[in-house]
mmCIF file with all atom_site columns, all heavy atoms in Angstrom:
data_model
loop_
_atom_site.group_PDB
_atom_site.id
_atom_site.type_symbol
_atom_site.label_atom_id
_atom_site.label_alt_id
_atom_site.label_comp_id
_atom_site.label_asym_id
_atom_site.label_entity_id
_atom_site.label_seq_id
_atom_site.pdbx_PDB_ins_code
_atom_site.Cartn_x
_atom_site.Cartn_y
_atom_site.Cartn_z
_atom_site.occupancy
_atom_site.B_iso_or_equiv
_atom_site.pdbx_formal_charge
_atom_site.auth_seq_id
_atom_site.auth_comp_id
_atom_site.auth_asym_id
_atom_site.auth_atom_id
_atom_site.pdbx_PDB_model_num
ATOM 1   N N   . ARG A 1 61 ? -119.725 -85.708 -12.206 1.00 95.00 ? 427 ARG A N   1
ATOM 2   C CA  . ARG A 1 61 ? -118.321 -85.319 -12.039 1.00 95.00 ? 427 ARG A CA  1
ATOM 3   C C   . ARG A 1 61 ? -118.167 -83.797 -12.111 1.00 95.00 ? 427 ARG A C   1
ATOM 4   O O   . ARG A 1 61 ? -118.583 -83.167 -13.074 1.00 95.00 ? 427 ARG A O   1
ATOM 5   C CB  . ARG A 1 61 ? -117.480 -85.973 -13.129 1.00 95.00 ? 427 ARG A CB  1
ATOM 6   C CG  . ARG A 1 61 ? -116.023 -85.655 -13.009 1.00 95.00 ? 427 ARG A CG  1
ATOM 7   C CD  . ARG A 1 61 ? -115.228 -86.389 -14.049 1.00 95.00 ? 427 ARG A CD  1
ATOM 8   N NE  . ARG A 1 61 ? -113.841 -85.982 -13.976 1.00 95.00 ? 427 ARG A NE  1
ATOM 9   C CZ  . ARG A 1 61 ? -112.903 -86.491 -14.728 1.00 95.00 ? 427 ARG A CZ  1
ATOM 10  N NH1 . ARG A 1 61 ? -113.188 -87.414 -15.609 1.00 95.00 ? 427 ARG A NH1 1
ATOM 11  N NH2 . ARG A 1 61 ? -111.663 -86.067 -14.618 1.00 95.00 ? 427 ARG A NH2 1
ATOM 12  N N   . HIS A 1 62 ? -117.553 -83.252 -11.087 1.00 98.00 ? 428 HIS A N   1
ATOM 13  C CA  . HIS A 1 62 ? -117.286 -81.814 -11.047 1.00 98.00 ? 428 HIS A CA  1
ATOM 14  C C   . HIS A 1 62 ? -116.034 -81.526 -11.866 1.00 98.00 ? 428 HIS A C   1
ATOM 15  O O   . HIS A 1 62 ? -114.956 -82.013 -11.549 1.00 98.00 ? 428 HIS A O   1
ATOM 16  C CB  . HIS A 1 62 ? -117.097 -81.355 -9.600  1.00 98.00 ? 428 HIS A CB  1
ATOM 17  C CG  . HIS A 1 62 ? -116.814 -79.899 -9.470  1.00 98.00 ? 428 HIS A CG  1
ATOM 18  N ND1 . HIS A 1 62 ? -115.739 -79.433 -8.763  1.00 98.00 ? 428 HIS A ND1 1
ATOM 19  C CD2 . HIS A 1 62 ? -117.448 -78.809 -9.975  1.00 98.00 ? 428 HIS A CD2 1
ATOM 20  C CE1 . HIS A 1 62 ? -115.735 -78.106 -8.823  1.00 98.00 ? 428 HIS A CE1 1
ATOM 21  N NE2 . HIS A 1 62 ? -116.751 -77.714 -9.556  1.00 98.00 ? 428 HIS A NE2 1
ATOM 22  N N   . ILE A 1 63 ? -116.190 -80.753 -12.918 1.00 97.00 ? 429 ILE A N   1
ATOM 23  C CA  . ILE A 1 63 ? -115.072 -80.410 -13.791 1.00 97.00 ? 429 ILE A CA  1
ATOM 24  C C   . ILE A 1 63 ? -114.310 -79.222 -13.242 1.00 97.00 ? 429 ILE A C   1
ATOM 25  O O   . ILE A 1 63 ? -113.096 -79.140 -13.345 1.00 97.00 ? 429 ILE A O   1
ATOM 26  C CB  . ILE A 1 63 ? -115.591 -80.092 -15.222 1.00 97.00 ? 429 ILE A CB  1
ATOM 27  C CG1 . ILE A 1 63 ? -116.294 -81.302 -15.808 1.00 97.00 ? 429 ILE A CG1 1
ATOM 28  C CG2 . ILE A 1 63 ? -114.468 -79.606 -16.129 1.00 97.00 ? 429 ILE A CG2 1
ATOM 29  C CD1 . ILE A 1 63 ? -115.482 -82.570 -15.802 1.00 97.00 ? 429 ILE A CD1 1
ATOM 30  N N   . GLY A 1 64 ? -115.031 -78.264 -12.691 1.00 98.00 ? 430 GLY A N   1
ATOM 31  C CA  . GLY A 1 64 ? -114.425 -77.033 -12.207 1.00 98.00 ? 430 GLY A CA  1
ATOM 32  C C   . GLY A 1 64 ? -114.986 -75.866 -12.990 1.00 98.00 ? 430 GLY A C   1
ATOM 33  O O   . GLY A 1 64 ? -116.136 -75.878 -13.410 1.00 98.00 ? 430 GLY A O   1
ATOM 34  N N   . GLY A 1 65 ? -114.138 -74.875 -13.237 1.00 98.00 ? 431 GLY A N   1
ATOM 35  C CA  . GLY A 1 65 ? -114.560 -73.686 -13.946 1.00 98.00 ? 431 GLY A CA  1
ATOM 36  C C   . GLY A 1 65 ? -114.121 -73.669 -15.394 1.00 98.00 ? 431 GLY A C   1
ATOM 37  O O   . GLY A 1 65 ? -113.782 -74.700 -15.978 1.00 98.00 ? 431 GLY A O   1
ATOM 38  N N   . TYR A 1 66 ? -114.097 -72.471 -15.962 1.00 98.00 ? 432 TYR A N   1
ATOM 39  C CA  . TYR A 1 66 ? -113.749 -72.321 -17.371 1.00 98.00 ? 432 TYR A CA  1
ATOM 40  C C   . TYR A 1 66 ? -112.339 -72.812 -17.672 1.00 98.00 ? 432 TYR A C   1
ATOM 41  O O   . TYR A 1 66 ? -112.127 -73.500 -18.676 1.00 98.00 ? 432 TYR A O   1
ATOM 42  C CB  . TYR A 1 66 ? -113.897 -70.858 -17.807 1.00 98.00 ? 432 TYR A CB  1
ATOM 43  C CG  . TYR A 1 66 ? -113.325 -70.623 -19.177 1.00 98.00 ? 432 TYR A CG  1
ATOM 44  C CD1 . TYR A 1 66 ? -113.959 -71.147 -20.305 1.00 98.00 ? 432 TYR A CD1 1
ATOM 45  C CD2 . TYR A 1 66 ? -112.146 -69.912 -19.350 1.00 98.00 ? 432 TYR A CD2 1
ATOM 46  C CE1 . TYR A 1 66 ? -113.427 -70.958 -21.568 1.00 98.00 ? 432 TYR A CE1 1
ATOM 47  C CE2 . TYR A 1 66 ? -111.607 -69.725 -20.609 1.00 98.00 ? 432 TYR A CE2 1
ATOM 48  C CZ  . TYR A 1 66 ? -112.258 -70.250 -21.717 1.00 98.00 ? 432 TYR A CZ  1
ATOM 49  O OH  . TYR A 1 66 ? -111.722 -70.070 -22.972 1.00 98.00 ? 432 TYR A OH  1
ATOM 50  N N   . ASP A 1 67 ? -111.380 -72.478 -16.828 1.00 98.00 ? 433 ASP A N   1
ATOM 51  C CA  . ASP A 1 67 ? -109.994 -72.887 -17.094 1.00 98.00 ? 433 ASP A CA  1
ATOM 52  C C   . ASP A 1 67 ? -109.870 -74.402 -17.182 1.00 98.00 ? 433 ASP A C   1
ATOM 53  O O   . ASP A 1 67 ? -109.181 -74.925 -18.075 1.00 98.00 ? 433 ASP A O   1
ATOM 54  C CB  . ASP A 1 67 ? -109.047 -72.344 -16.024 1.00 98.00 ? 433 ASP A CB  1
ATOM 55  C CG  . ASP A 1 67 ? -108.889 -70.836 -16.100 1.00 98.00 ? 433 ASP A CG  1
ATOM 56  O OD1 . ASP A 1 67 ? -109.113 -70.256 -17.187 1.00 98.00 ? 433 ASP A OD1 1
ATOM 57  O OD2 . ASP A 1 67 ? -108.540 -70.233 -15.067 1.00 98.00 ? 433 ASP A OD2 1
ATOM 58  N N   . GLU A 1 68 ? -110.525 -75.121 -16.301 1.00 98.00 ? 434 GLU A N   1
ATOM 59  C CA  . GLU A 1 68 ? -110.472 -76.579 -16.324 1.00 98.00 ? 434 GLU A CA  1
ATOM 60  C C   . GLU A 1 68 ? -111.184 -77.139 -17.556 1.00 98.00 ? 434 GLU A C   1
ATOM 61  O O   . GLU A 1 68 ? -110.713 -78.102 -18.171 1.00 98.00 ? 434 GLU A O   1
ATOM 62  C CB  . GLU A 1 68 ? -111.085 -77.161 -15.041 1.00 98.00 ? 434 GLU A CB  1
ATOM 63  C CG  . GLU A 1 68 ? -110.272 -76.888 -13.791 1.00 98.00 ? 434 GLU A CG  1
ATOM 64  C CD  . GLU A 1 68 ? -110.584 -75.549 -13.114 1.00 98.00 ? 434 GLU A CD  1
ATOM 65  O OE1 . GLU A 1 68 ? -111.443 -74.792 -13.608 1.00 98.00 ? 434 GLU A OE1 1
ATOM 66  O OE2 . GLU A 1 68 ? -109.964 -75.264 -12.089 1.00 98.00 ? 434 GLU A OE2 1
ATOM 67  N N   . LEU A 1 69 ? -112.307 -76.522 -17.917 1.00 98.00 ? 435 LEU A N   1
ATOM 68  C CA  . LEU A 1 69 ? -113.039 -76.936 -19.115 1.00 98.00 ? 435 LEU A CA  1
ATOM 69  C C   . LEU A 1 69 ? -112.172 -76.741 -20.352 1.00 98.00 ? 435 LEU A C   1
ATOM 70  O O   . LEU A 1 69 ? -112.076 -77.631 -21.202 1.00 98.00 ? 435 LEU A O   1
ATOM 71  C CB  . LEU A 1 69 ? -114.340 -76.129 -19.241 1.00 98.00 ? 435 LEU A CB  1
ATOM 72  C CG  . LEU A 1 69 ? -115.194 -76.434 -20.463 1.00 98.00 ? 435 LEU A CG  1
ATOM 73  C CD1 . LEU A 1 69 ? -115.812 -77.824 -20.357 1.00 98.00 ? 435 LEU A CD1 1
ATOM 74  C CD2 . LEU A 1 69 ? -116.282 -75.378 -20.628 1.00 98.00 ? 435 LEU A CD2 1
ATOM 75  N N   . ARG A 1 70 ? -111.541 -75.589 -20.449 1.00 98.00 ? 436 ARG A N   1
ATOM 76  C CA  . ARG A 1 70 ? -110.675 -75.290 -21.593 1.00 98.00 ? 436 ARG A CA  1
ATOM 77  C C   . ARG A 1 70 ? -109.509 -76.267 -21.671 1.00 98.00 ? 436 ARG A C   1
ATOM 78  O O   . ARG A 1 70 ? -109.149 -76.742 -22.739 1.00 98.00 ? 436 ARG A O   1
ATOM 79  C CB  . ARG A 1 70 ? -110.164 -73.858 -21.502 1.00 98.00 ? 436 ARG A CB  1
ATOM 80  C CG  . ARG A 1 70 ? -109.376 -73.431 -22.746 1.00 98.00 ? 436 ARG A CG  1
ATOM 81  C CD  . ARG A 1 70 ? -108.826 -72.058 -22.603 1.00 98.00 ? 436 ARG A CD  1
ATOM 82  N NE  . ARG A 1 70 ? -107.749 -72.148 -21.614 1.00 98.00 ? 436 ARG A NE  1
ATOM 83  C CZ  . ARG A 1 70 ? -107.282 -71.136 -20.938 1.00 98.00 ? 436 ARG A CZ  1
ATOM 84  N NH1 . ARG A 1 70 ? -107.779 -69.944 -21.093 1.00 98.00 ? 436 ARG A NH1 1
ATOM 85  N NH2 . ARG A 1 70 ? -106.311 -71.300 -20.075 1.00 98.00 ? 436 ARG A NH2 1
ATOM 86  N N   . LYS A 1 71 ? -108.931 -76.602 -20.526 1.00 98.00 ? 437 LYS A N   1
ATOM 87  C CA  . LYS A 1 71 ? -107.811 -77.544 -20.495 1.00 98.00 ? 437 LYS A CA  1
ATOM 88  C C   . LYS A 1 71 ? -108.246 -78.927 -20.979 1.00 98.00 ? 437 LYS A C   1
ATOM 89  O O   . LYS A 1 71 ? -107.540 -79.565 -21.760 1.00 98.00 ? 437 LYS A O   1
ATOM 90  C CB  . LYS A 1 71 ? -107.246 -77.638 -19.079 1.00 98.00 ? 437 LYS A CB  1
ATOM 91  C CG  . LYS A 1 71 ? -106.033 -78.503 -18.962 1.00 98.00 ? 437 LYS A CG  1
ATOM 92  C CD  . LYS A 1 71 ? -105.478 -78.482 -17.544 1.00 98.00 ? 437 LYS A CD  1
ATOM 93  C CE  . LYS A 1 71 ? -104.267 -79.396 -17.428 1.00 98.00 ? 437 LYS A CE  1
ATOM 94  N NZ  . LYS A 1 71 ? -103.736 -79.414 -16.067 1.00 98.00 ? 437 LYS A NZ  1
ATOM 95  N N   . LEU A 1 72 ? -109.412 -79.389 -20.528 1.00 97.00 ? 438 LEU A N   1
ATOM 96  C CA  . LEU A 1 72 ? -109.940 -80.671 -20.998 1.00 97.00 ? 438 LEU A CA  1
ATOM 97  C C   . LEU A 1 72 ? -110.127 -80.656 -22.512 1.00 97.00 ? 438 LEU A C   1
ATOM 98  O O   . LEU A 1 72 ? -109.794 -81.616 -23.201 1.00 97.00 ? 438 LEU A O   1
ATOM 99  C CB  . LEU A 1 72 ? -111.284 -80.985 -20.329 1.00 97.00 ? 438 LEU A CB  1
ATOM 100 C CG  . LEU A 1 72 ? -111.266 -81.527 -18.923 1.00 97.00 ? 438 LEU A CG  1
ATOM 101 C CD1 . LEU A 1 72 ? -112.696 -81.624 -18.386 1.00 97.00 ? 438 LEU A CD1 1
ATOM 102 C CD2 . LEU A 1 72 ? -110.601 -82.888 -18.880 1.00 97.00 ? 438 LEU A CD2 1
ATOM 103 N N   . ASP A 1 73 ? -110.668 -79.561 -23.019 1.00 97.00 ? 439 ASP A N   1
ATOM 104 C CA  . ASP A 1 73 ? -110.902 -79.439 -24.450 1.00 97.00 ? 439 ASP A CA  1
ATOM 105 C C   . ASP A 1 73 ? -109.585 -79.425 -25.217 1.00 97.00 ? 439 ASP A C   1
ATOM 106 O O   . ASP A 1 73 ? -109.427 -80.140 -26.209 1.00 97.00 ? 439 ASP A O   1
ATOM 107 C CB  . ASP A 1 73 ? -111.709 -78.174 -24.750 1.00 97.00 ? 439 ASP A CB  1
ATOM 108 C CG  . ASP A 1 73 ? -112.056 -78.047 -26.214 1.00 97.00 ? 439 ASP A CG  1
ATOM 109 O OD1 . ASP A 1 73 ? -112.661 -78.999 -26.767 1.00 97.00 ? 439 ASP A OD1 1
ATOM 110 O OD2 . ASP A 1 73 ? -111.727 -77.016 -26.812 1.00 97.00 ? 439 ASP A OD2 1
ATOM 111 N N   . LYS A 1 74 ? -108.638 -78.651 -24.743 1.00 97.00 ? 440 LYS A N   1
ATOM 112 C CA  . LYS A 1 74 ? -107.344 -78.523 -25.410 1.00 97.00 ? 440 LYS A CA  1
ATOM 113 C C   . LYS A 1 74 ? -106.602 -79.853 -25.458 1.00 97.00 ? 440 LYS A C   1
ATOM 114 O O   . LYS A 1 74 ? -105.932 -80.164 -26.444 1.00 97.00 ? 440 LYS A O   1
ATOM 115 C CB  . LYS A 1 74 ? -106.496 -77.477 -24.680 1.00 97.00 ? 440 LYS A CB  1
ATOM 116 C CG  . LYS A 1 74 ? -105.197 -77.159 -25.356 1.00 97.00 ? 440 LYS A CG  1
ATOM 117 C CD  . LYS A 1 74 ? -104.463 -76.056 -24.626 1.00 97.00 ? 440 LYS A CD  1
ATOM 118 C CE  . LYS A 1 74 ? -103.144 -75.746 -25.321 1.00 97.00 ? 440 LYS A CE  1
ATOM 119 N NZ  . LYS A 1 74 ? -102.423 -74.678 -24.637 1.00 97.00 ? 440 LYS A NZ  1
ATOM 120 N N   . ASN A 1 75 ? -106.741 -80.657 -24.417 1.00 97.00 ? 441 ASN A N   1
ATOM 121 C CA  . ASN A 1 75 ? -106.072 -81.956 -24.341 1.00 97.00 ? 441 ASN A CA  1
ATOM 122 C C   . ASN A 1 75 ? -106.849 -83.078 -25.030 1.00 97.00 ? 441 ASN A C   1
ATOM 123 O O   . ASN A 1 75 ? -106.429 -84.231 -24.979 1.00 97.00 ? 441 ASN A O   1
ATOM 124 C CB  . ASN A 1 75 ? -105.816 -82.343 -22.882 1.00 97.00 ? 441 ASN A CB  1
ATOM 125 C CG  . ASN A 1 75 ? -104.817 -81.422 -22.216 1.00 97.00 ? 441 ASN A CG  1
ATOM 126 O OD1 . ASN A 1 75 ? -103.979 -80.820 -22.876 1.00 97.00 ? 441 ASN A OD1 1
ATOM 127 N ND2 . ASN A 1 75 ? -104.900 -81.301 -20.906 1.00 97.00 ? 441 ASN A ND2 1
ATOM 128 N N   . GLY A 1 76 ? -108.000 -82.736 -25.628 1.00 94.00 ? 442 GLY A N   1
ATOM 129 C CA  . GLY A 1 76 ? -108.801 -83.738 -26.322 1.00 94.00 ? 442 GLY A CA  1
ATOM 130 C C   . GLY A 1 76 ? -109.576 -84.660 -25.404 1.00 94.00 ? 442 GLY A C   1
ATOM 131 O O   . GLY A 1 76 ? -110.077 -85.696 -25.839 1.00 94.00 ? 442 GLY A O   1
ATOM 132 N N   . LYS A 1 77 ? -109.701 -84.294 -24.144 1.00 95.00 ? 443 LYS A N   1
ATOM 133 C CA  . LYS A 1 77 ? -110.370 -85.163 -23.176 1.00 95.00 ? 443 LYS A CA  1
ATOM 134 C C   . LYS A 1 77 ? -111.847 -84.823 -22.961 1.00 95.00 ? 443 LYS A C   1
ATOM 135 O O   . LYS A 1 77 ? -112.586 -85.638 -22.425 1.00 95.00 ? 443 LYS A O   1
ATOM 136 C CB  . LYS A 1 77 ? -109.638 -85.117 -21.838 1.00 95.00 ? 443 LYS A CB  1
ATOM 137 C CG  . LYS A 1 77 ? -108.236 -85.678 -21.919 1.00 95.00 ? 443 LYS A CG  1
ATOM 138 C CD  . LYS A 1 77 ? -107.531 -85.594 -20.586 1.00 95.00 ? 443 LYS A CD  1
ATOM 139 C CE  . LYS A 1 77 ? -106.117 -86.150 -20.701 1.00 95.00 ? 443 LYS A CE  1
ATOM 140 N NZ  . LYS A 1 77 ? -105.394 -86.033 -19.431 1.00 95.00 ? 443 LYS A NZ  1
ATOM 141 N N   . LEU A 1 78 ? -112.265 -83.645 -23.383 1.00 95.00 ? 444 LEU A N   1
ATOM 142 C CA  . LEU A 1 78 ? -113.642 -83.214 -23.132 1.00 95.00 ? 444 LEU A CA  1
ATOM 143 C C   . LEU A 1 78 ? -114.641 -84.116 -23.849 1.00 95.00 ? 444 LEU A C   1
ATOM 144 O O   . LEU A 1 78 ? -115.569 -84.637 -23.223 1.00 95.00 ? 444 LEU A O   1
ATOM 145 C CB  . LEU A 1 78 ? -113.841 -81.755 -23.549 1.00 95.00 ? 444 LEU A CB  1
ATOM 146 C CG  . LEU A 1 78 ? -115.247 -81.189 -23.381 1.00 95.00 ? 444 LEU A CG  1
ATOM 147 C CD1 . LEU A 1 78 ? -115.701 -81.266 -21.934 1.00 95.00 ? 444 LEU A CD1 1
ATOM 148 C CD2 . LEU A 1 78 ? -115.300 -79.754 -23.889 1.00 95.00 ? 444 LEU A CD2 1
ATOM 149 N N   . LEU A 1 79 ? -114.473 -84.309 -25.126 1.00 91.00 ? 445 LEU A N   1
ATOM 150 C CA  . LEU A 1 79 ? -115.421 -85.132 -25.882 1.00 91.00 ? 445 LEU A CA  1
ATOM 151 C C   . LEU A 1 79 ? -115.375 -86.581 -25.430 1.00 91.00 ? 445 LEU A C   1
ATOM 152 O O   . LEU A 1 79 ? -116.407 -87.251 -25.377 1.00 91.00 ? 445 LEU A O   1
ATOM 153 C CB  . LEU A 1 79 ? -115.164 -85.004 -27.379 1.00 91.00 ? 445 LEU A CB  1
ATOM 154 C CG  . LEU A 1 79 ? -115.424 -83.601 -27.951 1.00 91.00 ? 445 LEU A CG  1
ATOM 155 C CD1 . LEU A 1 79 ? -115.116 -83.554 -29.438 1.00 91.00 ? 445 LEU A CD1 1
ATOM 156 C CD2 . LEU A 1 79 ? -116.841 -83.137 -27.684 1.00 91.00 ? 445 LEU A CD2 1
#
Side-chain angles (χ1 to χ4, degrees):
R427 182 176 176 177
H428 180 232
I429 299 306
Y432 170 70
D433 291 336
E434 292 87 0
L435 179 69
R436 186 183 71 201
K437 184 177 178 181
L438 281 174
D439 184 55
K440 186 176 180 180
N441 294 334
K443 295 179 181 178
L444 178 59
L445 295 179

